[in-house]
């Protein structure tokens, strides 16, 4: 944990020990999908349920079979794909797409954070009230953007 804490301090410029995740969750409004393995003994289900309960934005929760390191079941992966499709479609002002393979990414608003999260990475889906290096965030966002259409 100390190594992770130092890496976050260096890269994101905040201390994970000083973040009140539940308080921050109340102020988030980006869509998020919480997933939790029912037999996870490393991250307790109560953690995921608390985040889900407090989260201020659109949210979905899926508790599935398995433990912390289990391969996520197909129904959860399908739900994640549908969740992303819906979020991208809404960001682009389109209706929800039909079929599992269409993920629109036109010239719509890509500025909304869309989080698909298991409980171990739920904090990454939160818009935490911490100082960040905005130039680095912009570079990462631009690197994730698809190339312009011809």
């Amino acid at each position: 944990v100390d190594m992770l804490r130092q890496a976050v301090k260096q890269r994101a410029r905040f201390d994970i020990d000083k973040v009140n995740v539940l308080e921050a969750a109340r102020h988030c409004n980006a869509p998020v999908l919480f997933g939790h393995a029912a037999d996870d003994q490393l991250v307790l289900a109560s953690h995921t349920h608390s985040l889900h309960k407090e989260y201020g934005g659109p949210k979905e929760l899926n508790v599935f079979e398995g433990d912390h390191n289990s391969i996520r079941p197909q129904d959860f992966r399908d739900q994640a794909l549908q969740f992303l499709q819906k979020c991208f479609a809404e960001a682009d002002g389109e209706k929800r797409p039909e079929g599992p393979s269409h993920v629109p990414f036109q010239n719509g608003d890509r500025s909304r954070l869309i989080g698909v999260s298991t409980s171990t990475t739920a904090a990454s889906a939160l818009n935490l009230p911490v100082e960040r290096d905005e130039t680095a965030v912009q570079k990462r966002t631009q690197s994730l953007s698809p190339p312009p259409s011809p």
Side-chain angles (χ1 to χ4, degrees), residues 13-34:
R13 298 186 181 158
F14 71 91
D15 187 343
I16 60 175
D17 287 345
K18 295 181 180 177
V19 175
N20 182 335
V21 177
L22 292 178
E23 177 60 31
R26 292 181 190 114
H27 304 285
C28 294
N29 60 11
V32 66
L33 169 59
F34 292 95

Side-chain angles (χ1 to χ4, degrees), residues 88 91-92 104-114 141 144-149:
F88 282 128
D92 283 342
F105 213 124
Q106 304 297 323
N107 295 324
D109 178 13
R110 295 181 195 97
S111 64
R112 288 175 57 186
L113 169 69
I114 298 173
T141 303
L144 295 173
S145 297
S149 299

Side-chain angles (χ1 to χ4, degrees), residues 4-5 15 28 55 60 63 66 69 74 76 98 130:
L4 173 64
R5 181 178 177 216
D15 187 343
C28 294
Y55 197 79
E60 292 181 22
V63 178
N69 294 314
Q74 187 64 48
F76 178 69
E98 297 296 327
V130 296

Side-chain angles (χ1 to χ4, degrees), residues 64-81:
F64 44 81
E65 296 296 319
D67 62 28
H68 186 77
N69 294 314
S70 296
I71 294 174
R72 300 312 182 223
Q74 187 64 48
D75 69 319
F76 178 69
R77 295 190 311 243
D78 291 344
Q79 181 183 9
L81 176 61

Side-chain angles (χ1 to χ4, degrees), residues 24-132:
R26 292 181 190 114
H27 304 285
C28 294
N29 60 11
V32 66
L33 169 59
F34 292 95
H36 191 90
D39 296 323
D40 192 335
Q41 297 300 308
L42 184 61
V43 178
L44 300 179
S46 61
H47 177 75
T48 302
H49 288 283
S50 294
L51 279 172
H52 180 261
K53 178 181 175 188
E54 297 298 326
Y55 197 79
K59 58 194 173 192
E60 292 181 22
L61 172 65
N62 184 323
V63 178
F64 44 81
E65 296 296 319
D67 62 28
H68 186 77
N69 294 314
S70 296
I71 294 174
R72 300 312 182 223
Q74 187 64 48
D75 69 319
F76 178 69
R77 295 190 311 243
D78 291 344
Q79 181 183 9
L81 176 61
Q82 291 171 358
F83 183 81
L84 286 171
Q85 288 174 329
K86 178 182 173 188
C87 292
F88 282 128
E90 289 174 0
D92 283 342
E94 299 177 8
K95 292 182 179 179
R96 185 173 180 167
E98 297 296 327
S101 63
H102 176 67
V103 179
F105 213 124
Q106 304 297 323
N107 295 324
D109 178 13
R110 295 181 195 97
S111 64
R112 288 175 57 186
L113 169 69
I114 298 173
V116 175
S117 173
T118 63
S119 58
T120 57
T121 58
S124 69
L126 302 176
N127 183 15
L128 299 174
V130 296
E131 288 186 32
R132 294 180 182 214

